[in-house]
Amino acid sequence: MRVSRRAGALALGASVAAGCSTLPQPHRPAHPQEQFMARLAALCGKAFAGRLVTSDPADADMAGKPLVMHVARCAPNEVRIPFHVGEDRSRTWIISRTSSGLRLKHDHRHKDGAPDAVTMYGGDTAGPGTASRQEFPVDAESIALFRANKLDRSVTNVWAVEVTDRTYAYELRRPAGPAERHFRAEFDLTRPVPPPPLPWGWKG
């Protein structure tokens, strides 16, 4: 039986189309914030010692105390990282996903577990950041909280968190001027330490 040229061309076209549908799709790199959260999650359950690497006079009391961060609790959309300063277990960093990016909040507690008057402040990312660094400008809710507690110097805060293969860093900056501020603590991820007790107000 003879096959017409038109029929042969149609068959060839169908064969090519079918072959194209099985070709592997190009690899799409993960979003920087997804990579960042994955780096945090990989540290879950571990604790690391750190040190203050800035010298702002406001942090003089903290400079000589042991610093430990503990990636204590991880959920699909949230990581909780207690930050211990000596025997002070009042601080926890909370990094979570939002519909538009990432959010950093600071949970501050008293020894009896009660929330501090200034707690759950922070901000949301304004851009994609990188897989190793995310920045969190202060949000409107936190500005109102700071002003209500006479902490007007804090209304320009920008926090940052960095996670590399070797270092976790937490940073606070304010622009140059009367309220200028720079705080940065770095933690050595190559040398885990025993996890500290749970923060004040946490339940096992």
Side-chain angles (χ1 to χ4, degrees), residues 23-104:
L23 291 175
Q25 297 299 311
H27 174 69
R28 294 182 179 179
H31 191 277
Q33 291 176 344
E34 292 298 320
Q35 295 175 310
F36 179 85
M37 290 297 282
R39 287 186 174 190
L40 284 180
L43 303 174
C44 203
K46 297 179 180 179
F48 305 91
R51 63 189 182 92
L52 196 61
V53 298
T54 48
S55 57
D56 194 305
D59 305 314
D61 289 344
M62 187 182 293
K65 295 179 180 178
L67 307 182
V68 175
M69 55 84 71
H70 178 201
V71 187
R73 290 185 179 168
C74 302
N77 293 313
E78 181 182 277
V79 178
R80 291 180 175 247
I81 307 170
F83 171 40
H84 302 263
V85 180
E87 298 300 316
D88 185 337
R89 305 202 302 273
S90 65
R91 304 170 177 87
T92 300
W93 300 312
I94 304 173
I95 301 175
S96 58
R97 290 185 173 92
T98 69
S99 60
S100 59
L102 299 180
R103 175 172 294 156
L104 170 68

Side-chain angles (χ1 to χ4, degrees), residues 89-171:
R89 305 202 302 273
S90 65
R91 304 170 177 87
T92 300
W93 300 312
I94 304 173
I95 301 175
S96 58
R97 290 185 173 92
T98 69
S99 60
S100 59
L102 299 180
R103 175 172 294 156
L104 170 68
K105 289 290 183 176
H106 300 74
D107 185 353
H108 285 219
R109 304 293 182 103
H110 296 286
K111 282 187 176 182
D112 63 0
D116 191 83
V118 181
T119 189
M120 297 308 291
Y121 59 85
D124 293 1
T125 53
T130 71
S132 60
R133 180 180 171 91
Q134 295 290 324
E135 296 187 352
F136 306 87
V138 63
D139 59 27
E141 179 183 23
S142 302
I143 290 174
L145 177 67
F146 290 146
R147 286 181 170 155
N149 287 273
K150 303 185 185 304
L151 297 171
D152 296 85
R153 295 171 66 88
S154 298
V155 300
T156 57
N157 282 1
V158 177
W159 297 275
V161 176
E162 294 179 9
V163 189
T164 70
D165 291 339
R166 302 183 63 85
T167 304
Y168 174 97
Y170 168 86
E171 183 178 282

